[in-house]
Amino acid sequence: MRLVLLLPLLTISQAASQVLERTVEEWMRYRDECYKRMASTPHPSGLHCNRTFDMYACWPDGTPGTITYVPCPYYLPWFQKVSHGLLSQRCGKDGLWVKGNRSQAWRNVSQCEDDTEVTAEEVETRDLLLSFRALYTVGYSVSLLTLISALLILTMCRKLRCTRNSIHANLFASFALRAVSVIVKDVLLAKRWGMQITEVSDWEVLISDQAAIGCRIAQVVMQYCILANHYWFVVEAVYLYKLLIGAVFSEKNYYTLYLYLGWGTPVLFVVPWVTLKYLKENSECWALNENMAYWWIIRIPILLASLINLVIFMRILKVILSKLRANQKGYADYKLRLAKATLTLIPLFGIHEVVFIFATDEQTSGILRYIKVFFNLFLNSFQGFLVAVLYCFANKEVKSEIHKKWRLWQADRKALVCPR
């Protein structure tokens, strides 16, 4: 069955996996129609091969010693190419379908197979998608390692514990969780859609709800992490803006609100999305968006966060410019360093979302779609690495603290090796 060859390719991208999801849905409809037809058709008298659904095609009652023909199943992804083809199966003189390998009924599926060679364009598209997957896998892996190191530094060094660094740590955690969720989702999808379909039991495993639970959970966690990631950037922007305008506030009270905004806001959108997916589109790994209105539940808060960051970025830029023009010598240096870092991150996060705000997946095609996918994957996957570098490893306060810790460790090591 050519679907065996199609499955590994379907793990390359979510868009491709939707093809298989539609195939499985059509298969289930074909199966239900077959059972209804078998239940409503009168049984013939005398010896005959019993009607059956062998998980591939629907077979009527067969006459002993003859060959039974049925049309190719319409759920096949290449059905348009084989719509006039026929499946055949031999009914033995004993009233039993002739068995083949593994004690399963023998059937001739040659006319229903897709024997068309892969075109050069299909090979090029496959290679491009493979390169995209390799790109974001490397990006998320590098980001994850860097973020974990940055989190350890901020949490283990007591002198670095403050509201500002606590917000940074939460931002790092959201990026790290996002990277883990994407990698785990890809692994689960590869395991699920990459299975070899050679037996009837393989179909049963593939379409079972139990098999889909893992990738559905991964899909939900990934959407939550993406939203949390966006709203911790909003927290960063709000905190910096309040810092620059010199607002007097209680950091502890506001930090609690920041936690609700960063980790709580995504719940307000993910829960309704999960509910609607479960009730209305409870198919496979929830990667297919038949009703785009449900998908906008996730998309709108992401775009809203990007627009908020863009507005705050413009406000911060105005404040920075006014302070630089006034040449306030007494202005705290760490605030300027913080402003420079955040001014680098906010446009990196927000502008590429705003640029493609009207170029949705449904409206883009061809080279424009590939350009959008490339920039989104590149920026999203390596963004955690940039955040960790700018907020932690390139921070003078952090570097100074690490240098002190290193000198103390060297001194203690020297004292142990050469005691007085």
Side-chain angles (χ1 to χ4, degrees):
M1 190 174 177
R2 182 62 182 273
L3 190 57
V4 174
L5 301 179
L6 180 67
L7 286 170
L9 179 60
L10 293 175
T11 64
I12 296 175
S13 68
Q14 177 175 322
S17 68
Q18 293 176 0
V19 175
L20 187 54
E21 292 189 11
R22 289 189 182 276
T23 302
V24 174
E25 289 178 357
E26 289 295 301
W27 179 89
M28 296 174 71
R29 185 162 68 91
Y30 178 88
R31 177 199 59 184
D32 294 341
E33 291 175 357
C34 178
Y35 286 146
K36 290 179 181 179
R37 192 182 310 120
M38 289 191 297
S40 60
T41 304
H43 289 270
S45 58
L47 187 66
H48 63 277
C49 292
N50 291 328
R51 64 194 69 177
T52 183
F53 176 60
D54 63 358
M55 307 300 285
Y56 182 78
C58 187
W59 300 94
D61 297 311
T63 303
T66 64
I67 297 178
T68 302
Y69 294 91
V70 295
C72 294
Y74 62 74
Y75 64 81
L76 295 174
W78 50 84
F79 177 70
Q80 295 298 327
K81 300 178 182 179
V82 297
S83 56
H84 299 293
L86 295 173
L87 289 168
S88 61
Q89 189 171 196
R90 182 179 295 278
C91 179
K93 294 181 179 181
D94 56 356
L96 297 175
W97 296 108
V98 175
K99 299 293 184 180
N101 295 332
R102 301 183 181 181
S103 299
Q104 295 182 9
W106 172 88
R107 59 174 178 256
N108 184 358
V109 299
S110 59
Q111 294 185 29
C112 298
E113 291 181 341
D114 181 21
D115 294 327
T116 305
E117 294 184 0
V118 179
T119 63
E121 183 179 356
E122 290 174 334
V123 173
E124 185 177 340
T125 301
R126 181 194 62 189
D127 293 341
L128 182 62
L129 292 175
L130 281 170
S131 64
F132 281 171
R133 188 175 68 174
L135 171 70
Y136 76 72
T137 301
V138 171
Y140 279 120
S141 300
V142 172
S143 295
L144 182 60
L145 293 175
T146 311
L147 289 163
I148 291 175
S149 301
L151 273 171
L152 290 175
I153 292 173
L154 291 183
T155 54
M156 293 178 67
C157 297
R158 293 184 178 180
K159 291 185 178 180
L160 297 177
R161 295 176 185 176
C162 61
T163 300
R164 173 169 54 88
N165 286 335
S166 295
I167 293 174
H168 294 343
N170 281 280
L171 180 65
F172 296 164
S174 69
F175 268 113
L177 290 173
R178 178 174 179 174
V180 171
S181 66
V182 171
I183 294 173
V184 170
K185 179 185 71 70
D186 280 355
V187 171
L188 291 175
L189 284 175
K191 181 180 179 181
R192 177 171 172 76
W193 298 126
M195 67 177 294
Q196 298 293 317
I197 297 179
T198 56
E199 300 181 7
V200 171
S201 59
D202 294 335
W203 272 112
E204 296 174 339
V205 172
L206 180 65
I207 66 173
S208 65
D209 288 335
Q210 291 78 8
I213 289 176
C215 60
R216 287 177 186 174
I217 293 175
Q219 186 80 6
V220 173
V221 172
M222 186 187 72
Q223 298 301 340
Y224 172 81
C225 292
I226 291 174
L227 281 170
N229 194 202
H230 281 74
Y231 278 90
W232 273 108
F233 259 109
V234 174
V235 172
E236 288 279 0
V238 170
Y239 179 80
L240 175 61
Y241 181 68
K242 296 180 76 64
L243 194 68
L244 290 177
I245 64 175
V248 179
F249 57 89
S250 172
E251 289 193 348
K252 291 184 178 179
N253 293 338
Y254 270 83
Y255 182 68
T256 302
L257 292 177
Y258 292 152
L259 290 176
Y260 284 126
L261 177 60
W263 297 117
T265 302
V267 178
L268 301 178
F269 300 99
V270 172
V271 170
W273 177 75
V274 171
T275 304
L276 287 172
K277 293 294 285 187
Y278 180 77
L279 296 176
K280 302 294 184 179
E281 292 184 357
N282 191 29
S283 61
E284 300 310 315
C285 293
W286 292 355
L288 184 64
N289 299 306
E290 294 182 355
N291 189 335
M292 293 307 297
Y294 304 153
W295 180 232
W296 278 103
I297 297 175
I298 298 294
R299 183 178 290 177
I300 286 178
I302 290 176
L303 296 178
L304 179 63
S306 300
L307 290 174
I308 291 174
N309 274 345
L310 183 62
V311 171
I312 296 178
F313 164 69
M314 301 301 294
R315 301 273 298 182
I316 290 174
L317 185 61
K318 184 178 179 180
V319 173
I320 291 292
L321 290 175
S322 64
K323 290 185 179 292
L324 290 176
R325 287 173 182 173
N327 192 24
Q328 296 180 2
K329 296 182 179 179
Y331 191 71
D333 182 58
Y334 83 91
K335 294 182 179 180
L336 287 176
R337 296 201 308 269
L338 181 60
K340 291 176 183 178
T342 308
L343 288 174
T344 302
L345 293 173
I346 291 179
L348 176 66
F349 170 78
I351 289 179
H352 82 278
E353 295 279 355
V354 176
V355 167
F356 293 107
I357 190 171
F358 298 109
T360 61
D361 293 337
E362 304 81 42
Q363 297 170 336
T364 55
S365 60
I367 188 66
L368 178 60
R369 184 173 188 135
Y370 288 132
I371 291 174
K372 176 191 173 183
V373 170
F374 172 79
F375 278 103
N376 278 337
L377 293 178
F378 179 81
L379 293 175
N380 290 337
S381 61
F382 283 96
Q383 202 169 21
F385 169 78
L386 294 174
V387 168
V389 170
L390 290 171
Y391 271 154
C392 184
F393 298 107
N395 186 288
K396 292 182 180 179
E397 182 183 3
V398 174
K399 290 193 292 185
S400 175
E401 186 64 22
I402 293 176
H403 185 62
K404 289 180 181 178
K405 294 286 185 182
W406 174 255
R407 285 189 299 176
L408 288 174
W409 181 80
Q410 289 281 46
D412 292 341
R413 182 171 176 270
K414 187 176 181 180
L416 290 174
V417 174
C418 304
R420 293 180 179 179

